[in-house]
Amino acid sequence: MIGRLNHVAIAVPDLDTATAQYRDTLGCEVSEPQTLPEHGVTVVFVMLPNTKIELLLPYGEDSPIASYLAKNPAGGIHHVCYEVDDILAARDKLKADGLRVLGSGEPKIGAHGKPVLFLHPKDMNGTLVELEQV
Ligand code: CO
């Protein structure tokens, strides 16, 4: 059911510094910053040969990233994203197996214009997991 690793998301306290590090020090191709108000983030995509890194900066009043950065002021890995072919089928299977889906349980459109859902970290070995339909 789970396909490729689509991205690893890293919360950062300073998006410009983090972007410059990936671009200039690590030699990666990086995107322009993109603000996603409905997700409460500004994101920069770092392209790697086999996956992507998403650098996340809080945006707005109740960003889900703000509390994470309050606990991890230097930044840290916020979530991993796995690809699925059919997000509703995946959701129903995972819920039937006892995993909790965050929010309303209905997919939202994510940073790549595709439907996404998040699974409760307590049900996934302490890791926030995003599913993206590709
Ligand atoms: Co993500």
Side-chain angles (χ1 to χ4, degrees):
M1 179 180 63
I2 293 293
R4 286 161 36 101
L5 173 67
N6 185 276
H7 60 268
V8 175
I10 301 177
V12 300
D14 181 332
L15 191 56
D16 291 339
T17 301
T19 301
Q21 182 184 54
Y22 273 88
R23 185 188 56 224
D24 303 333
T25 306
L26 299 180
C28 299
E29 187 187 333
V30 301
S31 75
E32 291 299 314
Q34 194 180 321
T35 295
L36 305 168
E38 68 278 20
H39 292 276
V41 295
T42 299
V43 58
V44 166
F45 303 111
V46 179
M47 273 60 85
L48 301 181
N50 61 342
T51 190
K52 294 186 285 286
I53 303 294
E54 286 185 6
L55 304 174
L56 300 178
L57 183 73
Y59 175 83
E61 288 301 301
D62 35 44
S63 170
I65 307 301
S67 58
Y68 182 88
L69 276 177
K71 281 180 244 153
N72 303 276
I77 294 178
H78 184 262
H79 65 267
V80 297
C81 177
Y82 302 128
E83 297 181 354
V84 295
D85 290 329
D86 181 336
I87 200 163
L88 295 178
R91 176 196 64 187
D92 293 346
K93 153 83 171 130
L94 294 169
K95 280 174 78 172
D97 288 353
L99 274 68
R100 285 167 288 178
V101 175
L102 297 186
S104 69
E106 293 307 315
K108 280 193 196 177
I109 297 303
H112 310 103
K114 309 255 177 68
V116 301
L117 283 174
F118 286 90
L119 304 177
H120 199 299
K122 289 205 168 121
D123 300 338
M124 287 297 294
N125 311 291
T127 305
L128 180 59
V129 171
E130 179 179 20
L131 300 178
E132 180 175 305
Q133 180 170 294
V134 294

